[in-house]
Each structure stands twice: as C-alpha cells, then as structure tokens.
Amino acid sequence: MAAEIVNPRSDANTGHEGTDEPFDPAFALHRGGKMAVQATVPIRDKDDLSLAYTPGVAKVCSAIAEQPELVHDYTWKSSVVAVVTDGTAVLGLGDIGPEASLPVMEGKAILFKQFGGVDAVPIALATTDVDEIVDTVVRLAPSFGGVNLEDIAAPRCFEIERRLQERLDIPVFHDDQHGTAVVTLAALKNAARLSGRELGELRGVISGAGAAGVAIAKFLLEAGLGDVAVTDRKGIVSRDREDLTAVKRELAELTNKAGLSGTLEDALAGADLFIGVSGGTVPEPAVASMAPGAFVFAMANPNPEVHPDIAHKYASVVATGRSDYPNQINNVLAFPGIFAGALQVRASKITEGMKIAAADALAAVVGDELAAGYVIPSPFDERVAPAVTAAVAAAARAEGVARR
C-alpha cells in the first residue's frame, strides 16, 4: 500500500502521480496539512515588534517569573491543548506509527477549534514506552492548559493517563475512553427516557474490552446502569476466567453482577442494551434474542457490528458511529466542550462529575424533539458546545477543582 501513496512533491491533485487514477479529494484536502499557526496581534512596524518581542516581552516574562499564575493571563496556555499520541491505535488502522498518525491528530486539533474554540497542537511521539511518554508529556506540560491523549493502544493507555493525572495539575483526558463514554451515556439516557425506563432497570452488553469498552462500562455503572457484561475475543469478562489482564480483572469485579459466562451471544440473550466498540459482526439471531424494546449502539467504523437494517428489526433505538445514519455516537460532541469548560475555570483535572455533567447537558440539547431517530444531537448543532462547556465549568466549581 505504501508504494501507492501520492508523491507529495507532485503539483497535481488528480490521483496518484504517473497514473490515470481519478481526482482524490482526500489527498487534495490534506496537501500541506490542515492547520497553521496564526498571530493574534499585528506586527506592522518597529513599535509593534518592540512590544510583541524584545524589549517589551521581557516585562511580561519577568512578571510571570515573579507570579507564575500570570502565565494564564499573558500567554496562550489557558486556551491550548496538547493532542498526544504514539500512533499505536489510530482509528481503525491500528499501529501505524507517529508520522502516519499526524493527519488524524491535525484533524483532532481543528475539531477542537471548530467545535470548542480551543487551540490544539498535535504531538506525535516516536516512542511506545510508558515511562518515556509520561516523562515527555510532563516536560511539555508548562506550554499547555490540558492534555488530550489520543489513539494510544490499551492497556498502556490506562497507565499513561493515570500517571499523568497524578503528576500534572492540568486536565488529562484520554478521549478514546472518556469522550466515547460521555456521548454513549447521553444517548442512552435519552433512549431510556423515550422508553419510559430508568438506567437502573437496564442490563447491557459491551462488545470490546479495550480502552473504550472499559471506560464505557465503568462510566455507565457510575451513572446508575443496572448491570453490564463486557466481552472480549474469548467471551464474557468474568471472575472465573484465569486469563485476564490486571485491567480486565478489575473490570470483572465491577461488572457482570448477573454472573454470566460464555460468549457474546450468551450475554445478549434477554439484554436491554448492546454497545459495540470492537468491530466484528454480531449474528442476527443473537440480536433477535435481546429483550423487547432493546437499544443497539453498534459503533464500529466503517462497518457497525450490527447493520442498522438488521438492528431496526429488533431494537427500539439504534445508534452507530457513522454520520450517514441517525444517532451518530461521535466524540466531537463531547471533547471540545469538556476541555473548553475545564480551561475556562482553569480546572486542575476532569472529574467523573464533570463528565456526567457533560453527558447530561448533551442529552438535554435534544429536549422535546426526542424520537427514536434522534436521541443524540448532531455535531453541527450549535447548541452543543456552549451547553457542554457551561455544564462542565459549573461542575468543576461545584467539585472544587476550579481555580477561577
């Protein structure tokens, strides 16, 4: 595949150089990258230069040296996030390395700006060592108001996030875990409201025990879900299995109150909710075995674990990760507003309460328009980011992690 990549020195935007392949808009759009640095002050003459740089800048530097908190007022620190990856779990592409991850990281950065008004800088690291990643991010932290960990493979992502949260006094947020969980909870709350049920009445099944699956399970239980079983390639994550990693052993203690064992198909029998974050295909008979009025959130891209046409035969609410079907579970609904709210109040971290507040605010945007095909708003709904931002900021103040 690498041999077929467009030559970046080619001036043509029509397919691959030296071939008759048709115009490819993806390559055309990405040529030269998707973002740039832009000044917020003019430098028109020597007076402007003397204020923006030497000698004027020295006064500001000296003031910050004497009062470090002034860095938030006189630099971009409080409005910028580092988007950090090691390139090991990029979209559905897997471990493609730091350079190949950059188009995705650039995309993440412009989503921060477009949907949350937050500046972001892609940082792709040429290491997969946990110690090196943690130490590198800690050393970079003085330049940023927050850290968004992105596309780092499990289980290392859990330790990296935990250790950074312990060492830094700025928000550290692994979006593949928590952004997905926030949007899933928002959609689930509205699906439950539509069906007249409480979260505590529902039993769910999650296909996938990676970063997203683990985080979703913990978060939904924290929010009041009755029970959830998580499955991996070997079946239901349960206490009686002897092949579990440390992360999955912890998960087994928190989930599967019903004591189920066996396969994904076994877990789905009578379940009220399916959440797919693993890929693969769920057989139609397994979907048919779910409880009446079930919810199917099949979020693998580009191919959902359950095709919507099949899901609609048996489920009352269907969601996917795709933009061409209703009810798209899209992280962009969460992470821009979460960081915007945290940065607005200079939060020292992002708490569970802040994430639940984000989910509640996101669900509330739907309001009286609630319907089976509309349990989660569109990423382009202009009400989303302000609502999430305000809710997260308020929650940070209520939980005592706001510093202004």
Side-chain angles (χ1 to χ4, degrees):
M1 292 299 295
E4 297 180 359
I5 296 299
V6 170
N7 184 340
R9 294 186 296 274
S10 172
D11 292 328
N13 284 333
T14 54
H16 306 312
E17 186 177 25
T19 74
D20 295 326
E21 293 185 24
F23 172 82
D24 189 326
F27 281 96
L29 182 142
H30 284 79
R31 183 175 295 280
K34 299 191 292 289
M35 57 185 294
V37 174
Q38 181 176 334
T40 60
V41 297
I43 303 181
R44 299 159 298 194
D45 52 37
K46 63 182 182 65
D47 292 332
D48 289 342
L49 183 59
S50 68
L51 288 174
Y53 202 54
T54 186
V57 74
K59 297 179 183 178
V60 181
C61 293
S62 298
I64 294 171
E66 293 177 7
Q67 301 181 56
E69 283 301 302
L70 291 178
V71 69
H72 297 285
D73 297 314
Y74 294 107
T75 73
W76 77 341
K77 181 179 174 73
S78 280
S79 62
V80 66
V81 169
V83 180
V84 178
T85 190
D86 62 2
T88 56
V90 182
L91 297 178
L93 303 173
D95 185 356
I96 59 174
E99 288 87 355
S101 77
L102 271 176
V104 177
M105 300 309 114
E106 288 182 3
K108 195 78 171 189
I110 64 175
L111 294 180
F112 264 110
K113 188 67 173 179
Q114 175 72 26
F115 293 101
V118 174
D119 290 304
V121 177
I123 298 177
L125 302 179
T127 178
T128 60
D129 181 84
V130 170
D131 292 335
E132 291 181 356
I133 292 172
V134 170
D135 288 343
T136 300
V137 175
V138 168
R139 291 185 175 98
L140 289 170
S143 296
F144 299 98
V147 175
N148 184 91
L149 300 174
E150 190 74 20
D151 292 351
I152 298 173
R156 291 179 303 106
C157 60
F158 303 115
E159 183 179 359
I160 290 168
E161 182 186 50
R162 177 184 59 79
R163 287 171 56 180
L164 286 173
Q165 288 172 339
E166 290 172 351
R167 293 181 61 178
L168 297 177
D169 65 348
I170 58 175
V172 178
F173 185 86
H174 185 206
D175 185 52
D176 298 328
Q177 293 183 61
H178 309 300
T180 309
V182 166
V183 183
T184 301
L185 176 59
L188 178 58
K189 285 196 167 195
N190 276 337
R193 178 163 69 95
L194 183 66
S195 67
R197 288 179 282 177
E198 300 293 329
L199 292 187
E201 302 173 44
L202 305 176
R203 179 175 72 83
V205 177
I206 298 175
S207 174
V214 170
I216 291 170
K218 291 181 177 180
F219 192 55
L220 295 188
L221 290 173
E222 179 79 17
L225 185 69
D227 191 14
V228 63
V230 182
T231 67
D232 62 12
R233 291 182 179 87
K234 297 183 179 179
I236 299 170
V237 175
S238 58
R239 296 180 185 182
D240 60 354
R241 281 180 48 183
E242 298 179 355
D243 60 342
L244 300 180
T245 63
V247 170
K248 291 181 183 179
R249 283 198 301 271
E250 179 190 5
L251 189 64
E253 294 296 323
L254 297 172
T255 61
N256 193 20
K257 298 173 188 175
L260 302 174
S261 60
T263 66
L264 170 65
E265 289 83 352
D266 294 325
L268 282 175
D272 304 292
L273 167 68
F274 169 75
I275 296 172
V277 284
S278 65
T281 300
V282 178
E284 183 171 346
V287 182
S289 75
M290 295 178 70
F295 313 138
V296 171
F297 295 177
M299 300 189 288
N301 266 318
N303 300 311
E305 292 90 346
V306 183
H307 192 280
D309 291 345
I310 293 174
H312 278 296
K313 293 182 182 180
Y314 311 102
S316 62
V317 175
V318 177
T320 72
R322 290 176 52 146
S323 60
D324 53 347
Y325 290 106
N327 295 328
Q328 183 190 18
I329 308 293
N330 190 328
N331 288 17
V332 77
L333 289 162
F335 69 82
I338 289 174
F339 268 100
L343 294 175
Q344 186 180 94
V345 298
R346 295 181 191 166
S348 58
K349 60 183 178 180
I350 294 173
T351 66
E352 290 299 299
M354 291 162 71
K355 291 185 286 186
I356 288 175
D360 287 342
L362 184 54
V365 170
V366 171
D368 294 337
E369 301 172 71
L370 181 64
Y374 184 54
V375 297
I376 198 76
S378 162
F380 295 99
D381 189 323
E382 295 181 356
R383 300 171 295 174
V384 167
V388 174
T389 299
V392 169
R397 292 189 178 100
E399 299 208 338
V401 297
R403 289 177 286 196
R404 73 168 182 183

